[in-house]
Amino acid sequence: MTSTVLITGANRGVGLALAQHYHQAGWQVIGVCRSASAELAEVAERVIDNIDVTQYDDVARLAQSLDGTRLDLLINNAGLLRDEQLGKIDFETIREQMEVNAYAPLRVTEALLPCLGEGSKIANITSRMGSIADNDSGGRYGYRASKAALNAFGKSLAVDLAPRGIAVAQLHPGYVQTRMVNFGGLISPDEAAAGIAARMEALTLETSGGFWHSNGEPLPW
Ligand SMILES: NC(=O)c1ccc[n+]([C@@H]2O[C@H](COP(=O)([O-])OP(=O)(O)OC[C@H]3O[C@@H](n4cnc5c(N)ncnc54)[C@H](OP(=O)(O)O)[C@@H]3O)[C@@H](O)[C@H]2O)c1
């Protein structure tokens, strides 16, 4: 039977590359976004647009429109990078990043639980900038804290969902050439998507809850 993947932030960047990757691999792709793109429409079986993942009503509408459709894979990919400078910290950008990067993946996952069952998997697209052990350059208060919070949420989800046979991974895509980093990354979105897909293929209930680079390297918390 054909497998189904749902990807948030699927209209561009890593999310679009994931949609293209899974389409080519023969999966049914459900692309979730605020505004659809022509590239996404080409590869997605279904595009569910006008979904701001920070909005409770939008996420409720997403769950309703899925109506219990079985998801083999949920990829919480939508994300936001802002910057803060010590001395003039903008708590509004910190709040925004917490909403998009941490609360939204938890909210989406909880809302879509009726679509997930034995054998389903969840990928939380996090960042190594969420690693406290790996932080030797400081700054990025909101981004780092929001991805660290996402990692904590992901670990709890892994524990709580293990009895239902659902495995969860926190995956750093790599430094990827997308708008988020002004296209200045080291790897292409396609390479990141292939790595993420390989990690999710390899993920089991025994390895659930881990934090990895898309190249397979385990990352420290
Ligand atoms: N690029 C990197 O080097 C890098 C490194 C580490 C981690 N990551 C993570 O990888 C993931 C994908 O990032 P990317 O590089 O592909 O960035 P991107 O090109 O900037 O894409 C971000 C995606 O998130 C969506 N998004 C943002 N806020 C949203 C909201 N409130 N509701 C719904 N969708 C929202 C955007 O939708 P719109 O088009 O509507 O804005 C877009 O689809 C993110 O979680 C990011 O933190 C990226």
Side-chain angles (χ1 to χ4, degrees), residues 9 11-12 14 34 52-53 77 79 125-126 143 147 174 176 178:
N11 55 309
R12 61 186 172 97
V14 172
R34 289 190 286 202
D52 180 329
V53 290
N77 163 79
I125 306 304
T126 181
Y143 192 71
K147 293 295 191 179
V176 193
T178 67

Side-chain angles (χ1 to χ4, degrees), residues 4-7 10 19 27-33 36 40-49 61-69 71 115:
T4 301
V5 57
L6 183 144
I7 305 161
W27 288 52
Q28 286 200 338
V29 174
I30 302 175
V32 176
C33 53
L40 176 60
E42 256 175 50
V43 295
E45 202 73 22
R46 238 184 117 180
V47 176
I48 306 179
D49 62 2
R61 187 157 42 80
L62 169 65
Q64 208 173 22
S65 75
L66 288 168
D67 194 24
T69 302
L71 299 178
C115 303

Side-chain angles (χ1 to χ4, degrees), residues 8-16 18 32-35 51-55 58 76-81 96 99-101 104 124-129 143 147 150 171-187 189 196:
T8 65
N11 55 309
R12 61 186 172 97
V14 172
L16 175 62
L18 283 164
V32 176
C33 53
R34 289 190 286 202
S35 318
I51 304 292
D52 180 329
V53 290
T54 67
Q55 299 303 306
D58 290 3
N76 287 305
N77 163 79
L80 183 69
L81 171 68
E96 232 188 331
E99 289 283 353
V100 178
N101 296 340
N124 290 317
I125 306 304
T126 181
S127 170
R128 74 183 311 158
M129 288 181 77
Y143 192 71
K147 293 295 191 179
L150 172 60
L171 296 177
H172 167 66
Y175 185 33
V176 193
Q177 291 142 358
T178 67
R179 199 190 300 171
M180 179 171 281
V181 296
N182 291 320
F183 302 96
L186 293 173
I187 62 169
I196 290 165

